[in-house]
Amino acid sequence: MALLDVCGISDWLKEDGFNAKAASVDKVNHFSFAARTPEFAVPVGVDPAKFLKPLTDNEDGVNGVKLELEHGTTTLAFKFQHGVMVAVDSRASAGSYISSQTCKKVIEINPYLLGTMSGSAADCMYWERVLAKECRIYKLRNKERISVSAASKLLANMMVGYRGMGLSMGSMICGWDKKGPGLYYVDDNAVRLSANMFSTGSGNCYAYGVMDSGYRYDLSVPEAYDLAQRAVFHATHRDAYSGGTVNIYHMQEKGWIKVSHENVEELYHRFAAEKK
Amino acid sequence: MSARYDRAITVFSPDGHLFQVEYAQEAVKKGSTAVGIRGKDIVVLGVEKKSVAKLQEERTVRKICVLDEHVCMAFAGLTADARIVINRARVECQSHRLTVEDPVTVEYITRYIATLKQRYTQSNGRRPFGISALIVGFDYDGTPRLYQTDPSGTYHAWKANAIGRSAKTVREFLEKNYTEEAIAGDNEAIKLAIKALLEVVQSGGKNIELAIIRRNQPLKILEASEIETLVAEIEKEKEEEAEKKKQKKSS
């Protein structure tokens, strides 16, 4: 109906299956950074959140089946005077089975934006690629690169549409824009936080321990590389769901560089030798 | 021939015209004049105030509207259509601040308004918006901007422009008088806007409404007394010019 469309109400009406096909004239479109991206539409009649809730929240789940959505990995990032350090492990696990030791957990969105992934590999890879698409479109439309805060906001808004439906993603968006170095943590509950240091995944507590004991804002570049590497290594040493190689990126003013990717076995022997 | 092709908005005529859009532009030409000037540290919007009826409250007739703290617009054409466009633009400005955590650039909000207008020229059951808008403001890097949109949904950047009734006259005046020194200072830019409007409004300063935005400051609508002072200054300058010319001639 034309009047409903002009008031913009038909956008809301179509949510509950009402057949008011919003006229293309007033549909929420690319300018509005819609909370629900058009890639997925939850079919009418299905309520994933209601389906999932008893499986995750109840004591015994449903018929003894309980789903625990953990983020099995270790990723970390911290801001310091020379930019942002990003370090991740590379193990993908399916329960107690290690499905890959060479998984890429950092997505290179553009030369000035990185996203890390922890949680469900499928969810992370999919949504961060959608984020990369949105960032590219933003740059084409507005002739300038998207800011880190806007990119993390887009990802958080994508998550908001699927709250409670079982997505599992803990991501850090790191970049360098007009406002300087940026670091945001975004997760599947649409939490979006900005701070100088984050670590996500099942190994994050071990990484935090090492990072907190060695972190200063005025670290030099080699010191920062070393700290990031040690933090992830020690997490892989103790956490069963983290391992493989430690991949390190450094976000500088002129873009990110890949610093190193070392196997944790070699790191173990190197650090062990230091102790002697 | 045009009679058969001007009913539905979505129908082209054989010679490539969208008559409804052109008729909308005619509606704009009937509206009161608005002029916009982009200075170095200031942007100025001036509109011709239509005389109000005796019992009408003057303050409720406002043709210059704020879209956000750093952007404002004036329009010419159907006031009711403008209200809708302004509402949508205001919401979009805040939506952009919320999502991107940055204020809109003037070009972005102009593009949004132009896209909105274009969508209404390409769907059935609707008619185009009958307004042209002059959108002025400062981007967050401090650059002043002036854009003009029209009912077809196109937009362009301008250094100075006019829309509405007698827009052609005003634009010709601006083309002759918009020089680097004419906009050297804030006062000069304001006086240029007033001079441009004085070309076409009757009875001088009473029928002019003027608004300015200075960098990093909110929109300011000039009081009638301030306009009167500036008009008086302009008259004096004109007289001095005339005197000088007369002396030159006689010497």
Side-chain angles (χ1 to χ4, degrees), chain A residues 141-162:
Chain A
R141 284 200 183 116
N142 297 287
K143 296 177 200 146
E144 62 171 20
R145 254 181 274 114
I146 192 171
S147 64
V148 187
S149 49
S152 57
K153 206 42 143 349
L154 282 180
L155 187 60
N157 287 345
M158 290 177 210
M159 293 296 111
V160 140
Y162 297 92

Side-chain angles (χ1 to χ4, degrees), chain B residues 132-152:
Chain B
S132 275
L134 287 173
I135 300 153
V136 297
F138 285 87
D139 290 344
Y140 45 78
D141 62 0
T143 331
R145 305 263 186 213
L146 163 64
Y147 284 90
Q148 184 228 354
T149 65
D150 66 12
S152 64

Side-chain angles (χ1 to χ4, degrees), chain B:
Chain B
M1 173 160 72
S2 66
R4 296 213 326 263
Y5 296 100
D6 61 7
R7 286 300 137 76
I9 176 64
T10 48
V11 175
F12 274 109
S13 71
D15 55 345
H17 291 264
L18 278 174
F19 280 114
Q20 280 300 307
V21 174
E22 295 182 6
Y23 296 164
Q25 279 158 347
E26 291 298 313
V28 168
K29 287 195 201 141
K30 288 211 166 42
S32 52
T33 320
V35 70
I37 300 208
R38 183 186 86 194
K40 292 215 181 66
D41 306 304
I42 190 175
V43 286
V44 187
L45 278 179
V47 294
E48 170 195 359
K49 252 198 316 203
K50 275 217 192 73
S51 43
V52 295
K54 251 173 66 173
L55 294 173
Q56 192 175 57
E57 289 267 20
E58 216 183 309
R59 270 173 289 121
T60 58
V61 185
R62 269 279 134 82
K63 295 198 67 171
I64 301 179
C65 314
V66 165
L67 298 182
D68 199 352
E69 288 172 340
H70 60 296
V71 188
C72 74
M73 75 173 242
F75 61 90
L78 300 159
T79 315
D81 286 6
R83 211 174 51 232
I84 302 291
V85 170
I86 289 170
N87 263 337
R88 301 284 286 268
R90 284 175 176 158
V91 171
E92 180 62 22
C93 284
Q94 297 312 311
S95 179
H96 186 279
R97 269 185 195 266
L98 176 64
T99 326
V100 183
E101 293 190 346
D102 262 333
V104 292
T105 58
V106 186
E107 196 263 337
Y108 178 93
I109 195 63
T110 308
R111 199 176 353 129
Y112 175 81
I113 292 175
T115 311
L116 179 65
K117 288 185 178 177
Q118 188 279 339
R119 267 186 265 144
Y120 275 71
T121 69
Q122 205 176 10
S123 72
N124 51 350
R126 289 150 214 270
R127 59 164 179 78
F129 288 106
I131 63 164
S132 275
L134 287 173
I135 300 153
V136 297
F138 285 87
D139 290 344
Y140 45 78
D141 62 0
T143 331
R145 305 263 186 213
L146 163 64
Y147 284 90
Q148 184 228 354
T149 65
D150 66 12
S152 64
T154 57
Y155 68 97
H156 301 278
W158 291 76
K159 294 184 199 157
N161 198 5
I163 51 178
R165 191 175 20 231
S166 335
K168 208 148 162 282
T169 322
V170 180
R171 209 175 302 128
E172 280 165 6
F173 175 86
L174 287 170
E175 280 174 13
K176 270 197 238 118
N177 293 287
Y178 183 93
T179 57
E180 276 310 305
E181 35 176 64
I183 52 148
D186 292 355
N187 245 356
E188 279 76 29
I190 301 176
K191 278 202 255 189
L192 181 61
I194 298 183
K195 274 191 247 180
L197 274 178
L198 283 175
E199 295 274 308
V200 293
V201 305
Q202 310 114 323
S203 54
K206 273 198 293 78
N207 283 356
I208 294 181
E209 188 174 308
L210 214 72
I212 59 170
I213 306 188
R214 284 184 227 268
R215 188 173 289 119
N216 293 331
Q217 287 182 24
L219 174 81
K220 178 169 186 283
I221 301 198
L222 294 177
E223 305 267 332
S225 51
E226 291 173 297
I227 299 182
E228 284 301 325
T229 324
L230 288 163
V231 169
E233 273 181 42
I234 291 172
E235 300 280 303
K236 225 177 76 178
E237 282 170 14
K238 255 201 240 169
E239 282 174 19
E240 287 171 3
E241 275 293 313
E243 271 297 312
K244 261 201 231 151
K245 274 216 184 106
K246 243 204 276 176
Q247 288 193 355
K248 254 190 151 173
K249 254 191 165 169
S250 56
S251 67

